[in-house]
Structure formats: C-alpha cells, structure tokens
Amino acid sequence: MAKVTRQAIAVLLAGCITVSAQAAELNWQLAKDESGVKVYLAKVEGSKYKAYKGVALMNTDLARLRALQEDVTGSCAWMHECREQKRVEQNGESGVVYSRFNTPWPVTPRDTYTQIVTEQGADGSLLRRLTGKPDFKPAESGFVRVSKLEGFWQFTPKGNGQVEVVYQVHTEPGGSVPSWLANSFVLDAPFNTLLELKKLAEQK
C-alpha cells in the first residue's frame, strides 16, 4: 500500500514539474491586459502557431470554478467560439471531451477530442491537463480535426476569497489557417474565455 502511495505521489510531482518546466521554457510576452485578464504569447519551436496563456484573479472559490468546468455542455457557452461540446468518456479523474468550434467563413470549422486529467494539489490547488486525441474517433464530415493540443487549466486559491486561474494552450489547428485568423485566435481565445468564466464565477 505504501509503495502504491509513493508511486502515486511521484507521478503527481512529476506531472507538476513537467507543467512548470514547459511554462519556464517558453519566452512569454504580455500581449493584452484588460478587465482583469492578462494574455501572454510565446513562440513554440517547430510550430508556426504561438502558445497562449491567460491569467486572471477571480473573486470566487475553487468549488464553483470546478463545477463550471465540469458542466461540459454548459461550459461551451463561455468558451471562445465553442459551438457544442459533450463528454464521451469518463474514468475517475480522467475523461475525454468532444468539442466543435466556429470559424469565420471560408475557413472550415474545427473539432477536437481532448483528454482532461484532473489533479488535486496538496496546497488546495487544482490542475486540469489538456491533451488532444485527434485519432480518438474518425473525422467528422464538415470539420477539420485539430491535429495537436497541449495545455492546462490551473486554479490556485490565494486567500481572501480569490482564486488565480491560469489557462495555457498550444494547438496545431490542422488544415490551412490564414495568419490573420491564427494571430487573432491566440489573443481572443484566452481573453474571451477567461473574461466570460470570471463573470459567471463571480455572480452572486
């Protein structure tokens, strides 16, 4: 039993170190700071698409944020350009979510299968890892499958009824995406998503 516990702790610590290392390796540049939401962008080696990181301090508690996140269908309403979303698999703290996203004409809409693994930190924080699973199911007609997605949500209680929320993602959207759309998306996705989540989380 002790051996299993040590292994579980080792895996959790390794995961936290990996997230920290990935964040540290990127050269983040502040790109937007409005309405309590900061957005940072960073170039990713070998990719023509930038990674984005949104950071916001919210006047709420972790339980409410987790509830809003785990309402998979409802959360589509506050996620940037989300058209529809559903849970397709769940096994303990690991699950897979299918999402469809709007794109401006004439760009073909995107869809993605994302594995979400939730980890509770000893300090009360919550980490939700995001990993794209493009081959989870065959391609859907009328959509281009996002070919790669890596990121996380991190919720850290800061006391005084506040939680720091970090939303970091890098994607390879698949297919052809105009540079103007890619540049707009990496700013709008974290900003609009966190702004809408903040409004909902802080509702009395």
Short mmCIF file of all heavy atoms in Angstrom, two decimals, residues 118-171:
data_model
loop_
_atom_site.label_atom_id
_atom_site.label_comp_id
_atom_site.label_asym_id
_atom_site.label_seq_id
_atom_site.Cartn_x
_atom_site.Cartn_y
_atom_site.Cartn_z
N THR A 118 -7.63 15.49 -14.20
CA THR A 118 -7.70 16.42 -13.08
C THR A 118 -6.84 15.92 -11.92
O THR A 118 -6.92 14.75 -11.55
CB THR A 118 -9.16 16.59 -12.60
OG1 THR A 118 -9.96 17.05 -13.70
CG2 THR A 118 -9.25 17.60 -11.46
N GLU A 119 -6.03 16.84 -11.37
CA GLU A 119 -5.16 16.50 -10.25
C GLU A 119 -5.34 17.53 -9.13
O GLU A 119 -5.30 18.74 -9.38
CB GLU A 119 -3.69 16.48 -10.69
CG GLU A 119 -3.39 15.48 -11.79
CD GLU A 119 -1.99 15.63 -12.36
OE1 GLU A 119 -1.23 16.50 -11.86
OE2 GLU A 119 -1.65 14.90 -13.30
N GLN A 120 -5.55 17.05 -7.93
CA GLN A 120 -5.72 17.93 -6.77
C GLN A 120 -4.38 18.08 -6.07
O GLN A 120 -3.74 17.09 -5.73
CB GLN A 120 -6.73 17.32 -5.79
CG GLN A 120 -7.05 18.20 -4.60
CD GLN A 120 -8.00 19.33 -4.94
OE1 GLN A 120 -9.06 19.10 -5.48
NE2 GLN A 120 -7.63 20.56 -4.60
N GLY A 121 -3.92 19.32 -5.89
CA GLY A 121 -2.65 19.56 -5.22
C GLY A 121 -2.79 19.56 -3.71
O GLY A 121 -3.87 19.84 -3.17
N ALA A 122 -1.70 19.26 -3.03
CA ALA A 122 -1.71 19.24 -1.57
C ALA A 122 -1.98 20.62 -0.99
O ALA A 122 -2.45 20.75 0.14
CB ALA A 122 -0.37 18.71 -1.06
N ASP A 123 -1.69 21.67 -1.77
CA ASP A 123 -1.91 23.04 -1.31
C ASP A 123 -3.32 23.54 -1.59
O ASP A 123 -3.63 24.71 -1.39
CB ASP A 123 -0.89 23.98 -1.97
CG ASP A 123 -1.01 24.00 -3.49
OD1 ASP A 123 -1.76 23.17 -4.04
OD2 ASP A 123 -0.33 24.83 -4.13
N GLY A 124 -4.19 22.64 -2.08
CA GLY A 124 -5.56 23.04 -2.37
C GLY A 124 -5.77 23.49 -3.81
O GLY A 124 -6.90 23.79 -4.21
N SER A 125 -4.70 23.53 -4.59
CA SER A 125 -4.82 23.93 -6.00
C SER A 125 -5.39 22.78 -6.83
O SER A 125 -5.44 21.63 -6.39
CB SER A 125 -3.45 24.33 -6.55
OG SER A 125 -2.56 23.24 -6.53
N LEU A 126 -5.81 23.11 -8.04
CA LEU A 126 -6.38 22.12 -8.94
C LEU A 126 -5.75 22.30 -10.31
O LEU A 126 -5.64 23.41 -10.82
CB LEU A 126 -7.90 22.32 -9.04
CG LEU A 126 -8.69 21.19 -9.69
CD1 LEU A 126 -8.74 19.97 -8.76
CD2 LEU A 126 -10.11 21.65 -10.00
N LEU A 127 -5.29 21.19 -10.88
CA LEU A 127 -4.68 21.20 -12.20
C LEU A 127 -5.48 20.29 -13.12
O LEU A 127 -5.78 19.15 -12.77
CB LEU A 127 -3.23 20.70 -12.12
CG LEU A 127 -2.45 20.62 -13.44
CD1 LEU A 127 -2.22 22.03 -14.01
CD2 LEU A 127 -1.12 19.91 -13.21
N ARG A 128 -5.85 20.83 -14.28
CA ARG A 128 -6.59 20.03 -15.27
C ARG A 128 -5.78 20.03 -16.56
O ARG A 128 -5.73 21.05 -17.27
CB ARG A 128 -7.99 20.61 -15.48
CG ARG A 128 -8.88 20.45 -14.25
CD ARG A 128 -10.17 21.25 -14.36
NE ARG A 128 -11.04 20.80 -15.42
CZ ARG A 128 -11.90 19.77 -15.32
NH1 ARG A 128 -11.97 19.07 -14.20
NH2 ARG A 128 -12.68 19.45 -16.33
N ARG A 129 -5.16 18.90 -16.87
CA ARG A 129 -4.31 18.78 -18.05
C ARG A 129 -5.15 18.54 -19.29
O ARG A 129 -6.11 17.76 -19.27
CB ARG A 129 -3.35 17.60 -17.90
CG ARG A 129 -2.42 17.70 -16.73
CD ARG A 129 -1.56 16.45 -16.66
NE ARG A 129 -0.69 16.55 -15.51
CZ ARG A 129 0.41 17.27 -15.47
NH1 ARG A 129 0.76 17.96 -16.53
NH2 ARG A 129 1.14 17.32 -14.38
N LEU A 130 -4.77 19.16 -20.39
CA LEU A 130 -5.49 19.03 -21.66
C LEU A 130 -4.56 18.42 -22.71
O LEU A 130 -3.49 18.97 -22.98
CB LEU A 130 -5.97 20.40 -22.15
CG LEU A 130 -6.67 21.30 -21.12
CD1 LEU A 130 -6.95 22.67 -21.72
CD2 LEU A 130 -7.97 20.64 -20.64
N THR A 131 -4.97 17.31 -23.30
CA THR A 131 -4.17 16.66 -24.34
C THR A 131 -5.08 16.26 -25.49
O THR A 131 -6.05 15.52 -25.30
CB THR A 131 -3.47 15.40 -23.80
OG1 THR A 131 -2.71 15.73 -22.63
CG2 THR A 131 -2.54 14.82 -24.85
N GLY A 132 -4.78 16.76 -26.68
CA GLY A 132 -5.58 16.42 -27.84
C GLY A 132 -5.44 14.96 -28.21
O GLY A 132 -4.35 14.39 -28.14
N LYS A 133 -6.55 14.35 -28.62
CA LYS A 133 -6.57 12.95 -29.07
C LYS A 133 -7.19 12.91 -30.46
O LYS A 133 -8.33 12.49 -30.63
CB LYS A 133 -7.39 12.09 -28.09
CG LYS A 133 -6.84 12.05 -26.68
CD LYS A 133 -5.50 11.32 -26.62
CE LYS A 133 -4.95 11.26 -25.21
NZ LYS A 133 -3.62 10.60 -25.18
N PRO A 134 -6.45 13.36 -31.48
CA PRO A 134 -7.03 13.51 -32.82
C PRO A 134 -7.52 12.20 -33.44
O PRO A 134 -8.39 12.22 -34.32
CB PRO A 134 -5.88 14.11 -33.64
CG PRO A 134 -4.64 13.76 -32.88
CD PRO A 134 -5.04 13.77 -31.44
N ASP A 135 -6.98 11.08 -33.00
CA ASP A 135 -7.37 9.79 -33.57
C ASP A 135 -8.35 9.02 -32.69
O ASP A 135 -8.57 7.82 -32.90
CB ASP A 135 -6.12 8.93 -33.82
CG ASP A 135 -5.14 9.61 -34.79
OD1 ASP A 135 -5.63 10.23 -35.76
OD2 ASP A 135 -3.92 9.53 -34.56
N PHE A 136 -8.94 9.70 -31.71
CA PHE A 136 -9.85 9.03 -30.78
C PHE A 136 -11.03 8.42 -31.52
O PHE A 136 -11.47 7.31 -31.22
CB PHE A 136 -10.33 10.01 -29.73
CG PHE A 136 -11.15 9.39 -28.63
CD1 PHE A 136 -10.54 8.74 -27.57
CD2 PHE A 136 -12.54 9.46 -28.65
CE1 PHE A 136 -11.30 8.16 -26.55
CE2 PHE A 136 -13.30 8.88 -27.65
CZ PHE A 136 -12.67 8.23 -26.59
N LYS A 137 -11.54 9.19 -32.51
CA LYS A 137 -12.61 8.69 -33.38
C LYS A 137 -12.39 9.23 -34.78
O LYS A 137 -11.68 10.23 -34.95
CB LYS A 137 -13.99 9.10 -32.85
CG LYS A 137 -14.44 8.32 -31.61
CD LYS A 137 -15.90 8.58 -31.29
CE LYS A 137 -16.33 7.74 -30.10
NZ LYS A 137 -17.77 7.96 -29.78
N PRO A 138 -12.98 8.60 -35.81
CA PRO A 138 -12.79 9.07 -37.19
C PRO A 138 -13.24 10.52 -37.38
O PRO A 138 -14.04 11.04 -36.60
CB PRO A 138 -13.67 8.12 -38.01
CG PRO A 138 -13.80 6.89 -37.17
CD PRO A 138 -13.81 7.38 -35.74
N ALA A 139 -12.71 11.14 -38.43
CA ALA A 139 -13.04 12.53 -38.75
C ALA A 139 -14.54 12.69 -39.00
O ALA A 139 -15.20 11.78 -39.50
CB ALA A 139 -12.26 12.97 -39.98
N GLU A 140 -15.05 13.86 -38.62
CA GLU A 140 -16.46 14.19 -38.82
C GLU A 140 -16.62 15.01 -40.10
O GLU A 140 -15.83 15.91 -40.38
CB GLU A 140 -16.98 15.01 -37.63
CG GLU A 140 -16.92 14.29 -36.29
CD GLU A 140 -18.14 13.42 -36.06
OE1 GLU A 140 -19.11 13.55 -36.81
OE2 GLU A 140 -18.11 12.62 -35.10
N SER A 141 -17.65 14.74 -40.86
CA SER A 141 -17.90 15.48 -42.09
C SER A 141 -18.16 16.96 -41.78
O SER A 141 -18.91 17.28 -40.86
CB SER A 141 -19.12 14.89 -42.81
OG SER A 141 -19.43 15.64 -43.97
N GLY A 142 -17.52 17.84 -42.55
CA GLY A 142 -17.73 19.27 -42.38
C GLY A 142 -16.82 19.92 -41.35
O GLY A 142 -16.94 21.12 -41.09
N PHE A 143 -15.88 19.14 -40.77
CA PHE A 143 -14.96 19.67 -39.76
C PHE A 143 -13.53 19.22 -40.05
O PHE A 143 -13.31 18.14 -40.59
CB PHE A 143 -15.35 19.21 -38.35
CG PHE A 143 -16.64 19.79 -37.86
CD1 PHE A 143 -17.85 19.18 -38.18
CD2 PHE A 143 -16.64 20.95 -37.10
CE1 PHE A 143 -19.04 19.73 -37.73
CE2 PHE A 143 -17.83 21.49 -36.65
CZ PHE A 143 -19.04 20.88 -36.98
N VAL A 144 -12.59 20.06 -39.66
CA VAL A 144 -11.17 19.69 -39.70
C VAL A 144 -10.74 19.39 -38.27
O VAL A 144 -10.96 20.20 -37.37
CB VAL A 144 -10.30 20.83 -40.29
CG1 VAL A 144 -8.82 20.50 -40.12
CG2 VAL A 144 -10.64 21.05 -41.76
N ARG A 145 -10.16 18.23 -38.06
CA ARG A 145 -9.74 17.83 -36.72
C ARG A 145 -8.47 18.59 -36.30
O ARG A 145 -7.51 18.67 -37.05
CB ARG A 145 -9.48 16.32 -36.72
CG ARG A 145 -9.04 15.67 -35.40
CD ARG A 145 -10.13 15.69 -34.36
NE ARG A 145 -11.45 15.32 -34.83
CZ ARG A 145 -11.87 14.05 -35.00
NH1 ARG A 145 -11.07 13.03 -34.74
NH2 ARG A 145 -13.11 13.81 -35.41
N VAL A 146 -8.50 19.17 -35.11
CA VAL A 146 -7.30 19.79 -34.54
C VAL A 146 -6.26 18.70 -34.37
O VAL A 146 -6.50 17.68 -33.71
CB VAL A 146 -7.62 20.46 -33.19
CG1 VAL A 146 -6.34 20.94 -32.50
CG2 VAL A 146 -8.58 21.63 -33.40
N SER A 147 -5.09 18.87 -34.98
CA SER A 147 -4.12 17.79 -35.03
C SER A 147 -3.27 17.66 -33.77
O SER A 147 -2.72 16.60 -33.48
CB SER A 147 -3.19 17.96 -36.24
OG SER A 147 -2.47 19.18 -36.16
N LYS A 148 -3.18 18.75 -32.99
CA LYS A 148 -2.40 18.68 -31.76
C LYS A 148 -2.92 19.73 -30.78
O LYS A 148 -3.21 20.86 -31.16
CB LYS A 148 -0.91 18.94 -32.05
CG LYS A 148 0.00 18.81 -30.83
CD LYS A 148 1.46 19.02 -31.22
CE LYS A 148 2.37 18.89 -30.01
NZ LYS A 148 3.79 19.11 -30.38
N LEU A 149 -3.03 19.33 -29.53
CA LEU A 149 -3.46 20.26 -28.48
C LEU A 149 -2.78 19.85 -27.18
O LEU A 149 -2.86 18.69 -26.76
CB LEU A 149 -4.98 20.23 -28.32
CG LEU A 149 -5.61 21.24 -27.34
CD1 LEU A 149 -7.05 21.55 -27.75
CD2 LEU A 149 -5.60 20.74 -25.90
N GLU A 150 -2.10 20.79 -26.56
CA GLU A 150 -1.47 20.55 -25.26
C GLU A 150 -1.67 21.78 -24.39
O GLU A 150 -1.51 22.91 -24.86
CB GLU A 150 0.04 20.30 -25.42
CG GLU A 150 0.39 19.01 -26.14
CD GLU A 150 1.89 18.82 -26.27
OE1 GLU A 150 2.64 19.78 -25.99
OE2 GLU A 150 2.32 17.72 -26.66
N GLY A 151 -2.03 21.56 -23.16
CA GLY A 151 -2.20 22.71 -22.27
C GLY A 151 -2.74 22.30 -20.92
O GLY A 151 -2.73 21.12 -20.56
N PHE A 152 -3.22 23.29 -20.18
CA PHE A 152 -3.77 23.00 -18.86
C PHE A 152 -4.57 24.20 -18.33
O PHE A 152 -4.41 25.34 -18.78
CB PHE A 152 -2.65 22.65 -17.86
CG PHE A 152 -1.64 23.76 -17.64
CD1 PHE A 152 -1.84 24.76 -16.69
CD2 PHE A 152 -0.46 23.78 -18.37
CE1 PHE A 152 -0.91 25.76 -16.50
CE2 PHE A 152 0.48 24.78 -18.18
CZ PHE A 152 0.26 25.78 -17.23
N TRP A 153 -5.43 23.88 -17.38
CA TRP A 153 -6.07 24.87 -16.52
C TRP A 153 -5.46 24.68 -15.13
O TRP A 153 -5.32 23.54 -14.67
CB TRP A 153 -7.56 24.61 -16.41
CG TRP A 153 -8.39 25.03 -17.58
CD1 TRP A 153 -8.73 24.28 -18.67
CD2 TRP A 153 -9.04 26.29 -17.77
NE1 TRP A 153 -9.54 24.99 -19.52
CE2 TRP A 153 -9.74 26.23 -18.98
CE3 TRP A 153 -9.09 27.47 -17.01
CZ2 TRP A 153 -10.49 27.30 -19.47
CZ3 TRP A 153 -9.84 28.54 -17.49
CH2 TRP A 153 -10.52 28.45 -18.70
N GLN A 154 -5.13 25.78 -14.48
CA GLN A 154 -4.62 25.68 -13.11
C GLN A 154 -5.36 26.69 -12.23
O GLN A 154 -5.46 27.87 -12.57
CB GLN A 154 -3.12 25.95 -13.07
CG GLN A 154 -2.47 25.61 -11.73
CD GLN A 154 -0.97 25.49 -11.85
OE1 GLN A 154 -0.33 26.22 -12.60
NE2 GLN A 154 -0.38 24.56 -11.12
N PHE A 155 -5.88 26.18 -11.11
CA PHE A 155 -6.64 27.01 -10.17
C PHE A 155 -5.90 27.00 -8.83
O PHE A 155 -5.74 25.94 -8.22
CB PHE A 155 -8.05 26.46 -9.99
CG PHE A 155 -8.80 26.29 -11.28
CD1 PHE A 155 -8.75 25.09 -11.97
CD2 PHE A 155 -9.54 27.33 -11.82
CE1 PHE A 155 -9.44 24.92 -13.15
CE2 PHE A 155 -10.23 27.17 -13.01
CZ PHE A 155 -10.18 25.96 -13.68
N THR A 156 -5.50 28.18 -8.38
CA THR A 156 -4.74 28.28 -7.13
C THR A 156 -5.41 29.26 -6.18
O THR A 156 -5.46 30.47 -6.45
CB THR A 156 -3.30 28.76 -7.41
OG1 THR A 156 -2.69 27.92 -8.40
CG2 THR A 156 -2.47 28.72 -6.14
N PRO A 157 -5.95 28.77 -5.05
CA PRO A 157 -6.56 29.67 -4.06
C PRO A 157 -5.52 30.65 -3.52
O PRO A 157 -4.39 30.27 -3.21
CB PRO A 157 -7.02 28.71 -2.96
CG PRO A 157 -7.18 27.39 -3.64
CD PRO A 157 -6.09 27.35 -4.67
N LYS A 158 -5.90 31.94 -3.43
CA LYS A 158 -4.98 32.97 -2.98
C LYS A 158 -5.41 33.62 -1.67
O LYS A 158 -4.83 34.61 -1.24
CB LYS A 158 -4.86 34.06 -4.07
CG LYS A 158 -4.15 33.59 -5.33
CD LYS A 158 -2.71 33.23 -5.05
CE LYS A 158 -1.97 32.84 -6.30
NZ LYS A 158 -0.56 32.48 -6.02
N GLY A 159 -6.46 33.08 -1.04
CA GLY A 159 -6.95 33.68 0.19
C GLY A 159 -7.87 34.84 -0.10
O GLY A 159 -7.98 35.32 -1.24
N ASN A 160 -8.55 35.34 0.92
CA ASN A 160 -9.48 36.47 0.78
C ASN A 160 -10.55 36.21 -0.28
O ASN A 160 -11.00 37.14 -0.97
CB ASN A 160 -8.71 37.76 0.44
CG ASN A 160 -7.73 38.15 1.52
OD1 ASN A 160 -8.02 38.04 2.70
ND2 ASN A 160 -6.54 38.57 1.11
N GLY A 161 -10.94 34.94 -0.43
CA GLY A 161 -11.99 34.61 -1.38
C GLY A 161 -11.61 34.78 -2.83
O GLY A 161 -12.47 35.06 -3.67
N GLN A 162 -10.33 34.61 -3.15
CA GLN A 162 -9.87 34.76 -4.53
C GLN A 162 -9.14 33.50 -5.01
O GLN A 162 -8.51 32.79 -4.23
CB GLN A 162 -8.93 35.96 -4.66
CG GLN A 162 -9.61 37.30 -4.42
CD GLN A 162 -8.68 38.47 -4.66
OE1 GLN A 162 -7.55 38.47 -4.17
NE2 GLN A 162 -9.14 39.45 -5.41
N VAL A 163 -9.25 33.27 -6.31
CA VAL A 163 -8.56 32.15 -6.94
C VAL A 163 -7.86 32.66 -8.20
O VAL A 163 -8.46 33.36 -9.01
CB VAL A 163 -9.54 31.02 -7.35
CG1 VAL A 163 -8.80 29.87 -8.04
CG2 VAL A 163 -10.30 30.50 -6.13
N GLU A 164 -6.57 32.31 -8.33
CA GLU A 164 -5.84 32.65 -9.56
C GLU A 164 -6.09 31.54 -10.58
O GLU A 164 -5.91 30.36 -10.29
CB GLU A 164 -4.35 32.75 -9.30
CG GLU A 164 -3.56 33.12 -10.56
CD GLU A 164 -2.06 33.07 -10.35
OE1 GLU A 164 -1.53 31.96 -10.11
OE2 GLU A 164 -1.43 34.14 -10.41
N VAL A 165 -6.52 31.94 -11.77
CA VAL A 165 -6.81 30.99 -12.83
C VAL A 165 -5.82 31.19 -13.97
O VAL A 165 -5.65 32.31 -14.47
CB VAL A 165 -8.25 31.17 -13.36
CG1 VAL A 165 -8.54 30.17 -14.47
CG2 VAL A 165 -9.26 31.02 -12.23
N VAL A 166 -5.16 30.10 -14.37
CA VAL A 166 -4.23 30.13 -15.49
C VAL A 166 -4.74 29.16 -16.55
O VAL A 166 -5.03 28.00 -16.26
CB VAL A 166 -2.81 29.73 -15.06
CG1 VAL A 166 -1.86 29.73 -16.27
CG2 VAL A 166 -2.28 30.66 -13.98
N TYR A 167 -4.83 29.64 -17.78
CA TYR A 167 -5.31 28.84 -18.90
C TYR A 167 -4.25 28.90 -19.99
O TYR A 167 -4.05 29.95 -20.60
CB TYR A 167 -6.64 29.40 -19.39
CG TYR A 167 -7.22 28.77 -20.63
CD1 TYR A 167 -7.20 27.39 -20.84
CD2 TYR A 167 -7.84 29.57 -21.60
CE1 TYR A 167 -7.75 26.83 -21.98
CE2 TYR A 167 -8.42 29.01 -22.73
CZ TYR A 167 -8.36 27.65 -22.92
OH TYR A 167 -8.92 27.08 -24.04
N GLN A 168 -3.55 27.80 -20.20
CA GLN A 168 -2.43 27.78 -21.16
C GLN A 168 -2.64 26.68 -22.19
O GLN A 168 -2.93 25.54 -21.85
CB GLN A 168 -1.12 27.53 -20.42
CG GLN A 168 0.10 27.49 -21.36
CD GLN A 168 1.39 27.32 -20.60
OE1 GLN A 168 1.60 27.91 -19.55
NE2 GLN A 168 2.29 26.51 -21.14
N VAL A 169 -2.45 27.03 -23.47
CA VAL A 169 -2.68 26.07 -24.56
C VAL A 169 -1.77 26.36 -25.74
O VAL A 169 -1.46 27.51 -26.04
CB VAL A 169 -4.16 26.11 -25.03
CG1 VAL A 169 -4.37 25.23 -26.27
CG2 VAL A 169 -5.11 25.67 -23.93
N HIS A 170 -1.37 25.28 -26.41
CA HIS A 170 -0.76 25.40 -27.74
C HIS A 170 -1.44 24.38 -28.64
O HIS A 170 -1.61 23.23 -28.24
CB HIS A 170 0.75 25.13 -27.70
CG HIS A 170 1.35 25.13 -29.08
ND1 HIS A 170 1.83 23.98 -29.67
CD2 HIS A 170 1.52 26.13 -29.99
CE1 HIS A 170 2.28 24.28 -30.88
NE2 HIS A 170 2.10 25.57 -31.09
N THR A 171 -1.85 24.81 -29.82
CA THR A 171 -2.52 23.90 -30.75
C THR A 171 -1.88 23.96 -32.12
O THR A 171 -1.27 24.95 -32.52
CB THR A 171 -4.02 24.24 -30.92
OG1 THR A 171 -4.13 25.54 -31.52
CG2 THR A 171 -4.75 24.22 -29.60
#
